[in-house]
Amino acid sequence: MQQQGPVTFDYDFDKVLAALVYFASKPDRVINFDRNKALSLLFLADKAHLLRYGEPIFGDYYRALPHGVVPQRTLQRLNKMAEGRANGQDIERLTEAFRVQKVKGHGYPILIPRIAPDLDALSELEIQILDEVVALYGGKSFDELKGLVHPPAWYKAWASKPRDSRVAPLSYEDLFEGDSQDVKVARARMIEDFALRRACSPHGVRRSTLL
């Protein structure tokens, strides 16, 4: 079945918020949990789930920005929260879930949770991925994560952008790296699932949608 257009997924803010609070609720294991660290951990969790199971956790729209691969919809919401623009249910929920705290010597405010994470919004496999991300990357600074948020997909997208642009779209297909058979199978499964969902749904794709 032929693929039509890039593979994308429905954005699930419930899962995003649950993961953000989950990360933030572990300050002994997730250091300096500011906006950039939050976006990096979300990307790394989404990518790990994508490579393993053929679909992401959060379904965000990823872009290449100078400081790395960024989940665009979540970036917009975190920026609006930081600016005090609580216009929209998602921004209100973020504001209720977090307070920001300035830390001496740190460039960005730290996100401090006001609530417990809603683990019902996440599957057991998704929580397992989050725990792996905490164990591997929670203790690293954003500078130490820069190599991981500038994967080959970032360089491919960045090289193809207009010269005067500071942002470039990035496809889920390009996030599959390496030659391992498991990665090839997961990529093929994602594309096949996208095509099947698009063909079978009279209103378009439910979990996967065209941009």
Side-chain angles (χ1 to χ4, degrees), residues 163-179:
R163 182 175 298 179
D164 59 347
S165 176
R166 300 278 292 173
V167 61
L170 189 148
S171 74
Y172 276 103
E173 292 92 323
D174 289 337
L175 290 177
F176 289 86
E177 304 169 18
D179 297 322

Side-chain angles (χ1 to χ4, degrees), residues 39-209:
L39 295 172
S40 296
L41 295 187
L42 289 178
F43 163 63
L44 292 170
D46 236 6
K47 182 181 176 184
H49 198 277
L50 179 74
L51 297 187
R52 195 171 301 175
Y53 303 114
E55 67 174 14
I57 299 173
F58 312 113
D60 211 323
Y61 175 40
Y62 284 96
R63 292 176 181 264
L65 272 67
H67 51 277
V69 176
V70 173
Q72 183 69 20
R73 294 181 177 97
T74 303
L75 171 64
Q76 292 170 342
R77 285 158 174 77
L78 288 174
N79 283 345
K80 288 180 180 179
M81 180 190 74
E83 295 164 3
R85 291 190 288 159
N87 55 340
Q89 185 180 11
D90 291 352
I91 317 302
E92 291 175 359
R93 291 176 66 190
L94 278 171
T95 302
E96 293 170 357
F98 294 101
R99 63 181 178 87
V100 294
Q101 176 178 304
K102 293 185 178 180
V103 175
K104 186 176 181 180
H106 192 71
Y108 294 96
I110 304 299
L111 297 173
I112 308 296
R114 305 179 193 264
I115 62 174
D118 179 13
L119 298 183
D120 289 338
L122 300 162
S123 71
E124 290 184 9
L125 290 177
E126 289 166 347
I127 294 172
Q128 179 182 329
I129 292 287
L130 298 187
D131 286 336
E132 291 176 9
V133 166
V134 168
L136 290 170
Y137 312 119
K140 297 183 181 296
S141 68
F142 178 65
D143 284 342
E144 291 175 312
L145 294 175
K146 281 185 177 178
L148 294 169
V149 297
H150 288 81
W154 181 91
Y155 288 97
K156 178 180 179 179
W158 199 253
S160 64
K161 72 174 180 60
R163 182 175 298 179
D164 59 347
S165 176
R166 300 278 292 173
V167 61
L170 189 148
S171 74
Y172 276 103
E173 292 92 323
D174 289 337
L175 290 177
F176 289 86
E177 304 169 18
D179 297 322
S180 76
Q181 188 61 32
D182 288 343
V183 168
K184 290 179 179 179
V185 169
R187 185 182 190 276
R189 184 168 64 240
M190 177 192 73
I191 293 172
E192 181 69 13
D193 177 67
F194 174 80
L196 286 171
R197 289 173 185 271
R198 188 177 188 278
C200 294
S201 174
H203 304 293
V205 186
R206 296 177 61 188
R207 172 60 176 157
S208 305
T209 57

